Amino acid sequence: MLDTSYIERTTGFSEATIQSVLESFIKFVQLELRAGNEVKIVDFGVFYPKELGERQARNPRTGEQIIAKARTKPRVRFFDSFEKAIQNPKSVTLTLPTSPIPPIPPTIPTALPPPVPVAVAVSRIWHIVKDGAALPIPESQLRGKGKGKITPDTLIWTEGQDGWKSASEVLPQLFA
């Protein structure tokens, strides 16, 4: 997929953890774009969907005129700060995380570690443990359609929270 050796050396996370985080992040962006949402990452850029309507096209094999279906095309726009950092190598510095993501309690299988939280402007991201895996869920889905996805005993975590806790302990209003 990707050479993760630099990230491994600078963060101390294993290749499997990094691969898992990257795969989860890619799936998250795909889901948000499919839903018509933008995903903004601080100091990086914004992923956004571009809707392309039906249009006339030509079949490259036969030359026949066809109607191309409407579709959504993913786009990314980098922020100026990111582009300027590429031009100025001294501005790109790496800081190691001060507080690593808390591990899933040992009673839960740790086949997939929780994803590294990404600064996303769409909504706050919560991570729930489902079938032994940590799954990211935007807060908007957790409070709306996600009510049926979690129980009061479901373990959840979000950035800034000290360790995994039961949903009833962190979000009692969901079960009131």
Side-chain angles (χ1 to χ4, degrees):
M1 175 181 185
L2 174 70
D3 178 10
T4 61
S5 58
Y6 176 80
I7 300 169
E8 290 172 52
R9 284 192 318 270
T10 57
T11 65
F13 289 113
S14 70
E15 179 181 11
T17 300
I18 295 166
Q19 292 289 353
S20 175
V21 168
L22 291 173
E23 288 172 17
S24 293
F25 173 72
I26 290 167
K27 287 178 185 172
F28 170 75
V29 171
Q30 289 170 339
L31 290 170
E32 287 297 313
L33 295 181
R34 188 177 303 141
N37 300 325
E38 291 184 346
V39 178
K40 293 180 183 174
I41 303 173
V42 176
D43 295 329
F44 179 73
V46 59
F47 295 90
Y48 62 96
K50 181 172 180 164
E51 301 299 327
L52 301 175
E54 260 187 15
R55 58 186 171 74
Q56 288 241 336
R58 186 175 302 275
N59 183 327
R61 288 187 188 159
T62 64
E64 170 188 6
Q65 286 279 344
I66 58 171
I67 301 291
K69 296 179 186 176
R71 63 187 183 117
T72 302
K73 187 167 185 146
R75 297 283 192 198
V76 63
R77 182 180 59 82
F78 296 106
F79 290 150
D80 288 341
S81 59
F82 181 79
E83 291 182 1
K84 286 177 185 173
I86 291 172
Q87 302 306 319
N88 181 5
K90 293 179 183 177
S91 69
V92 179
T93 58
L94 178 69
T95 56
L96 295 176
T98 55
S99 60
I101 296 173
I104 296 174
T107 56
I108 303 298
T110 57
L112 292 175
V116 175
V118 177
V120 178
V122 175
S123 69
R124 184 177 202 176
I125 303 300
W126 289 86
H127 304 277
I128 67 168
V129 174
K130 198 77 158 175
D131 299 324
L135 304 173
I137 295 183
E139 187 167 23
S140 59
Q141 289 181 8
L142 192 66
R143 296 186 181 281
K145 296 181 277 184
K147 286 184 184 176
K149 292 181 182 177
I150 65 169
T151 67
D153 297 325
T154 301
L155 293 176
I156 64 173
W157 176 85
T158 191
E159 186 174 9
Q161 179 177 307
D162 183 31
W164 291 88
K165 296 183 179 172
S166 68
S168 62
E169 184 180 350
V170 179
L171 298 168
Q173 66 274 21
L174 288 180
F175 307 101

